[in-house]
Amino acid sequence: MLSGKSILLIISGGIAAYKSLDLIRRLRERGASVVPVMTGSASEFVTPMSVSALAGEKVHTDLFDLGTEAEMGHIQLSRVADLVVVAPATADLIGKVAGGLANDLASTLLMATDTDVLMAPAMNVRMWEHPSVQRNVALLKGDGIAFVGPNEGDMACGEFGPGRMAEPMEIVAAIEAKLADGPLKGKRVVVTSGPTHEPIDPVRYIANRSSGAQGTAIARALAALGAEVVFVTGPADVAPPDGVEVVAVQSAREMLEAVEAALPADAAVMAAAVADWRVKSESTSKIKKVKGALPVLEFEENPDILARVSQMSDGRPGLVVGFAAETDDVVGNATAKRERKGCDWIVANDVSPATGIMGGTENAVVVITEGGADVWPRMGKQAVADKLAERIAAALL
Ligand code: CTP
């Protein structure tokens, strides 16, 4: 787990700072040591005394603390940790780091560190959605800083939406994933999962029966092997796994946009059941029932995300894995699909109702590569995912 790992935990000033106290406990329970740093405003929300008592360590607050400088300079403080975690990360601190400012201990440490950084943002929903915050977060992601959350929900300020800090256990899972020492450490993988919803009007949509179970299991398995996973999911029945970056989408076009934004990556696994068609002219108001006149829906084709990514001339992931849901001649159809789409592997399964696979807990797959078809026995979806993740790790070595 986390035994022997050292976390430099920067607590900035937000109401969510109370959750950082629990985070410290959870980390220490798992064997990690926590060196706490608080910004000036953090101590308006939790006391340095509580933080220090829970961490079993001195709290660092001041850039010009002569005592600390004599024992260990602040630059050094930022480098001895295995991971720097900022929880909560306020809009102010995110903005400082994005802008290259270093005028207090927290921002100076973040500037001076050569260690990986994970941020758990927490702020009012309007602040989170503000273009400047979104711009800063995108900049920091581009610089290699990882994020967990924020989650959507009721906020201390009475509003609802994204901005709530991730729960302590979600942050722990993200930390474990960052520090996981598996064969996929340092590899970035994009996973699509779940169905897509294609709107007909504001209240109706076209969907399919995908539960998202197989894609979720794959993302979990890849993260457990140390991969940095971007999990692009349609509205699925199962909850996303811990320790991955979740991008929630509705339609095929949103999914394509999210996948493109997540690239470059070392591998892409397209497990989503993307709707092949969307309604051509989505109605902006609810279609009313008219006696004697049935509505006629005209369709147009959705972008094929797997084919687009497989056929990228620039920046194609080194390994692209697609899925094929078939009801007849599974190997023949899936082999042709691999050729047609241009992906490296196709994981094919028989989704005839009699198999109970679609929406069920088990899967029986055939993995089709350049070398031919490899038939796997029927097993649980997590077991399929674990085996596939091992195979992906071997291919990316
Ligand atoms: N896929 C995709 N974008 C689409 C349709 C499918 O990325 N618009 C991906 C799926 O995620 C899956 C693979 O393509 O990895 C195969 O999807 P499937 O629906 O089985 O194949 P189709 O190309 O739609 O072929 P058909 O429906 O004719 O079997």
Side-chain angles (χ1 to χ4, degrees), residues 8 28 54 59 90 109 123 148 250 274 280 284 292 361 384:
L8 182 76
R28 294 200 64 205
L54 285 166
V59 177
T90 56
L109 290 172
M123 65 196 74
V148 52
Q250 296 280 325
V274 185
K280 193 166 178 186
T284 50
T361 56
V384 169

Side-chain angles (χ1 to χ4, degrees), residues 60-114:
H60 301 268
T61 51
D62 192 357
L63 185 55
F64 303 106
D65 178 346
L66 277 180
T68 305
E69 282 305 306
E71 292 159 25
M72 181 201 276
H74 61 258
I75 303 273
Q76 189 62 11
L77 188 61
S78 75
R79 297 199 178 154
V80 289
D82 294 294
L83 186 67
V84 178
V85 177
V86 189
T90 56
D92 179 66
L93 187 52
I94 289 172
K96 269 187 194 166
V97 182
L101 300 179
N103 61 356
D104 62 5
L105 181 60
S107 52
T108 303
L109 290 172
L110 285 162
M111 202 69 56
T113 190
D114 57 2

